[in-house]
Amino acid sequence: MTVADCATLRQLAPVGACSAGDVFLAAGPDGAAPRPGERLVLDPVGSRGDHRVPARWTVPRTARRTTAWPERPVPGRDGRGLLATPEALPPALLAHADLTCLLRLDPHTPDAIEYVRNTAARITPRAVVFRSGPPGPDEAAGLVSRGLTACATAVLLLIGCGLLLTVLEQLRERARLLSALDALGTPRALLARSVLWQTAVPVVTGLPLAVGWGLALGTLLVRIAGRPPRPDWWSILALTGTAAAVVLGVTALCLPLLWRLMRPDGLRTE
C-alpha cells in the first residue's frame, strides 16, 4: 500500500481524476491487484519488532482500477498494489507508516543528492535515499576511462623511447654513409625528413590499427550488453595528439646526433 497525495499518486500511476479520500487499485504486469471490498491485513515493516498488532482494513467499494506507469517507477515504489490518499484511511493506521519524500533537485548543483543524504541522516539514521530520473555521470566509469587514457599515453611514451633508441643506434651505424652523403651535397633537410619518416611510419601504421580494433571490440561488447555504442572521441583525439607529439619529439632528439655525424671528419679512416 502506498499512501500519498494526488500529485504523488499521479507519478506512480495514471489515476486520472483524484481527490481526497480516493483509493486506486494498480495492477502489475501479471494483473494482480486487491479487489474492492477485500479485507486486508496491514503489517508495516518493523511492526512485529515493536510488538504492534497488525491492523485490518477493508478496501472501499468505490476504489477504481488503474495500471502502474511502465517506465516511470519511483525507487522503492513501483506504483503497483494499493494507492490511497491519506483521507481514505483512519489516522491510527498512519501513525507508524513508512514515510517517503519525493524531492526535485537543482540540476545545476552537482552535490545536491549528498545534501539530501546528510539531511536525511540527521533526521534519522534509518533513512534510505534513492535517486530516480535520468542517470548522471558515472564517477567510477569516468575514473576507469581516465585511467585507461593515461595508461595508453604511457604506452605511447614507452614506444617513443624505444623508437628513440632504435633511431640513434641506426644513425651511429650509418655514420660514414651520412658523412659521404653530406660531402656529395645531399641537403640536410632531406636527411632530417628521412628520420621523421623512419619514426612516423611505425606509429602512423600502428595507431589506426589499434583504434580500429579497439572500436570494433568495444562496440561488440557494448552491443552484447544491450547498450548503444558511444565512442569517446576526445580520448581518441588525445591519443592521436600524443602519438604526433611522440613522433616530433623523437625526431627532434635525433637531429643533434644527425648533424654531428654528418661532419667531414666522419670520413676519416685508419
Side-chain angles (χ1 to χ4, degrees), residues 8-249:
T8 304
L9 295 181
R10 289 191 181 96
Q11 299 184 35
L12 300 174
V15 297
C18 178
S19 59
D22 286 348
V23 178
F24 305 92
L25 308 175
D30 55 358
R35 297 185 303 274
E38 183 177 358
R39 189 168 180 79
L40 304 179
V41 177
L42 304 183
D43 188 8
V45 176
S47 61
R48 297 181 181 180
D50 296 339
H51 304 288
R52 296 199 305 268
V53 178
R56 297 184 179 274
W57 181 73
T58 303
V59 180
R61 296 287 181 180
T62 57
R64 304 198 306 269
R65 293 189 177 273
T66 183
T67 57
W69 288 113
E71 298 180 357
R72 294 180 59 184
V74 175
R77 298 290 186 271
D78 58 3
R80 291 181 294 176
L82 193 63
L83 309 178
T85 55
E87 295 78 7
L89 283 82
L93 295 181
L94 303 177
H96 303 285
D98 295 335
L99 179 63
T100 301
C101 298
L102 301 181
L103 306 177
R104 188 185 302 274
L105 305 182
D106 184 5
H108 302 291
T109 305
D111 296 330
I113 187 65
E114 300 302 330
Y115 297 148
V116 174
R117 290 193 178 100
N118 295 338
T119 303
R122 286 196 295 268
I123 296 175
T124 171
R126 300 173 58 185
V128 180
V129 179
F130 297 94
R131 170 183 283 179
S132 63
D138 193 339
E139 297 181 0
L143 181 61
V144 171
S145 177
R146 290 190 295 270
L148 291 176
T149 303
C151 291
T153 303
V155 170
L156 284 176
L157 294 178
L158 290 176
I159 293 175
C161 294
L163 286 175
L164 177 61
L165 295 177
T166 302
V167 174
L168 292 177
E169 183 179 356
Q170 291 178 355
L171 289 178
R172 293 181 185 277
E173 293 177 354
R174 301 168 184 173
R176 290 180 59 82
L177 177 60
L178 293 174
S179 298
L181 291 175
D182 183 61
L184 294 175
T186 304
R188 290 193 171 190
L190 179 61
L191 297 177
R193 286 197 297 271
S194 69
V195 175
L196 176 63
W197 279 108
Q198 185 177 358
T199 307
V201 167
V203 177
V204 173
T205 304
L207 188 62
L209 290 175
V211 172
W213 281 106
L215 287 175
L217 180 60
T219 302
L220 177 62
L221 295 177
V222 171
R223 292 286 189 186
I224 293 176
R227 295 180 176 272
R230 295 177 181 176
D232 189 358
W233 297 112
W234 287 111
S235 297
I236 295 176
L237 291 177
L239 293 178
T240 304
T242 303
V246 166
V247 171
L248 296 178

Side-chain angles (χ1 to χ4, degrees), residues 251-266:
T251 303
L253 293 175
C254 291
L255 289 180
L257 179 62
L258 177 64
W259 303 148
R260 188 167 64 251
L261 294 177
M262 293 175 64
R263 295 173 182 174
D265 55 2

